[in-house]
Amino acid sequence: MRFSVFLNARTMTPDADRQLIVDLERHAVLAGELGFDAIFLPDHHFNGYMAIASDSYMFASYLAAKLPDMHFGFSVTTVPLHHPVRFVERINILDHLTKGKLLVGVGSGTTPEEMIGFGVNYKDAGRIAEENLAAAEALWNKKIEDDAIELDGFHKGRVLQRIAPSAYGPKHARLMPVAMKDASITRAAVNGWPAFIPAFTPPQIGGLEPLTHVKKYFGKYHEQLLAAGHDEQTVADALSWTTHSYQCVHLAETDEQARKEVLEILTSYQEAIDREAAFNAKAEADDANKKTDRTGAALTEEWMATWCLYGSPATVIDKLRAYQQVGIGNILCGTVTGPLTEQRLAYADQTLRLLAQHVIPAFQ
C-alpha cells in the first residue's frame, strides 16, 4: 500500500498567504525525506483554501525540482475551469519534468463560487467537463498532418499543428477520475488508469459506514478494469495508485491524545468553512449555481468517520487493514487540514513522522 500527502491547508487572511507557501514547501520536502510516495494538490480559487492551488501545476513544477523521486498528483483538477489546450500543455510539461511520475485527478468541481469566477454555471459543469476531456484526448492524439481540431464547446479554439511538447511517454499522463458516476468508472477502467474511490454516496456526504461505500465503488471499478483486457502490468499499476482519500489524518502517541488534538484541528477547520459560507451563499443566489448536496459540519461523528483517520499508530494500522483487504493501493493523507498555524504545522509534521516510523513499514 502506498502513502501520499495531500496539501489541503487554508489561510484566513491575505497576509497569511506568504507563510502558507513557505510552510507547505517545507512540509512537502519533509514528506520526501520520510519516504512518502506522492504529493497531491487540489485546484481552488478565490477563497483561501490552498491559496497556491490557484495554479497547482506551477507549484508542483517547483516542488518536482526539489523532489525528483516523488510522484505528483492532483486531487482534483476542476476540468471545466481549464481551457483544453492549456490543460493538455501543462500536463505534458509536468509529465516531462517528473519523468512520467504524474497522476492527474479530474472532476467537474464542487464549488459554485469558484465556477462563477471563470464564467461557468455550476449546473453546466458536468457537461463542460465531458466536453473538455473529449477535446483533450483529441488534442493528445493529433499529429501535425491531421486536419485542424475545432474546439466549439464552452471553450473555443482551432489547433492547426499539434500540442507542444509532446507527451513524455507513448501515452499521455495518467488521469484519475472519481469512481462515482458510471461514465467516470468506465473512463478509468477502459484506459487502465487508477481512480479515486469515494466513501459516501450522494446526496448524503458522510456517514458512519464509509467502508461500505468504498467496497461498492471499488468493486464496480475493479470489475471493469479486469474486463477491459489490459496486460498484467497495466492492471497492477492502476490498482497500486487507486486511491482512498482522507481530508484529515492525524496521529499521536496515544488514541486519547490524537482525539484531543484532532478535535482542536477540526474546530479551526470549521471556523474556516463558516467564514467561506457567506461567499458560497452569494454564489448560489440563482438556480444555475445552486448546489444539490451539502457536506455536514466537521465536528460530527458522521463527518469524522468519512473524512478523518486518527489515533495512535497501532489504531491507524488496524483501521487501514480493512482498506488494504478491499484492494485500495494508495492512502491519500490530508495532513495540513484547516488554517496552517505554527501549532497546526507542528501537528502535521508529527503525523508525517509517526506514519513514516510505524504505519508505512507495516504495509510494505
Side-chain angles (χ1 to χ4, degrees):
M1 186 179 274
R2 300 180 186 270
F3 286 82
S4 302
V5 172
F6 182 33
L7 300 181
N8 62 340
R10 280 173 156 83
T11 54
M12 299 289 274
T13 59
D15 58 6
D17 290 348
R18 179 187 299 179
Q19 190 62 44
L20 175 83
I21 295 170
V22 171
D23 290 341
L24 288 174
E25 176 191 341
R26 189 176 69 75
H27 189 66
V29 170
L30 177 61
E33 292 171 351
L34 292 174
F36 285 81
D37 289 280
I39 299 291
F40 276 71
L41 295 159
D43 178 14
H44 286 293
H45 309 268
F46 312 126
N47 55 21
Y49 178 11
M50 272 297 289
I52 200 167
S54 55
D55 195 336
S56 292
Y57 289 79
M58 182 180 290
F59 191 39
S61 297
Y62 174 78
L63 292 177
K66 291 179 169 289
L67 300 166
D69 296 325
M70 185 70 76
H71 286 73
F72 285 89
F74 299 96
S75 178
V76 298
T77 298
T78 304
V79 176
L81 308 188
H82 296 260
H83 192 290
V85 171
R86 296 295 288 141
F87 178 70
V88 171
E89 288 175 339
R90 280 178 168 157
I91 289 172
N92 281 9
I93 291 170
L94 193 52
D95 207 22
H96 279 276
L97 295 177
T98 61
K99 296 181 171 56
K101 297 189 291 293
L102 190 61
L103 301 135
V104 183
V106 291
S108 57
T110 61
T111 311
E113 183 193 352
E114 296 178 343
M115 300 284 177
I116 64 174
F118 289 84
V120 175
N121 283 330
Y122 184 73
K123 70 178 179 63
D124 298 327
R127 174 182 59 79
I128 296 171
E130 291 298 322
E131 282 179 2
N132 285 3
L133 289 172
E137 289 294 342
L139 291 166
W140 268 311
N141 291 327
K142 188 183 184 313
K143 299 179 176 59
I144 293 176
E145 62 271 17
D146 293 340
D147 292 339
I149 290 179
E150 304 280 352
L151 303 178
D152 197 28
F154 179 83
H155 294 97
K156 310 293 183 184
R158 187 166 186 252
V159 178
L160 298 173
Q161 291 198 48
R162 65 178 179 93
I163 295 296
S166 60
Y168 174 75
K171 297 180 179 179
H172 65 75
R174 292 161 292 187
L175 305 187
M176 286 182 67
V178 178
M180 186 172 283
K181 297 178 182 177
D182 289 343
S184 296
I185 294 172
T186 300
R187 176 178 284 118
V190 167
N191 286 286
W193 296 333
F196 290 99
I197 307 299
F200 62 90
T201 300
Q204 183 176 349
I205 304 179
L208 296 176
E209 300 292 338
L211 189 60
T212 301
H213 303 279
V214 169
K215 288 179 178 178
K216 177 180 71 173
Y217 290 118
F218 179 85
K220 290 181 178 180
Y221 163 72
H222 190 213
E223 181 181 6
Q224 290 197 41
L225 179 68
L226 295 180
H230 302 297
D231 60 68
E232 289 184 8
Q233 182 177 349
T234 298
V235 172
D237 179 74
L239 291 176
S240 78
W241 283 109
T242 290
T243 297
H244 178 55
S245 302
Y246 289 102
Q247 281 287 323
C248 183
V249 174
H250 182 68
L251 275 71
E253 293 293 342
T254 66
D255 289 342
E256 294 75 18
Q257 181 187 351
R259 172 80 180 187
K260 175 179 177 292
E261 291 171 354
V262 82
L263 290 175
E264 178 186 334
I265 289 166
L266 293 181
T267 297
S268 295
Y269 167 79
Q270 188 62 51
E271 289 172 358
I273 296 297
D274 292 342
R275 185 196 69 81
E276 296 164 13
F279 296 95
N280 291 332
K282 290 181 181 179
E284 295 185 57
D286 59 88
D287 290 341
N289 290 293
K290 192 74 68 178
K291 288 194 70 170
T292 57
D293 50 42
R294 301 288 167 189
T295 302
L299 290 164
T300 63
E301 293 303 322
E302 288 80 7
W303 196 95
M304 294 173 70
T306 302
W307 297 110
C308 293
L309 175 66
Y310 66 94
S312 66
T315 294
V316 167
I317 289 169
D318 286 344
K319 290 179 180 178
L320 290 179
R321 288 293 182 202
Y323 292 86
Q324 183 186 39
Q325 291 170 8
V326 171
I328 297 296
N330 179 45
I331 298 297
L332 183 54
C333 305
T335 53
V336 288
T337 316
L340 195 57
T341 62
E342 184 176 348
Q343 179 59 71
R344 179 67 188 93
L345 184 62
Y347 283 155
D349 291 348
Q350 167 186 303
T351 291
L352 285 189
R353 291 190 171 96
L354 289 173
L355 283 169
Q357 184 178 356
H358 300 288
V359 180
I360 292 176
F363 291 91
Q364 290 180 337

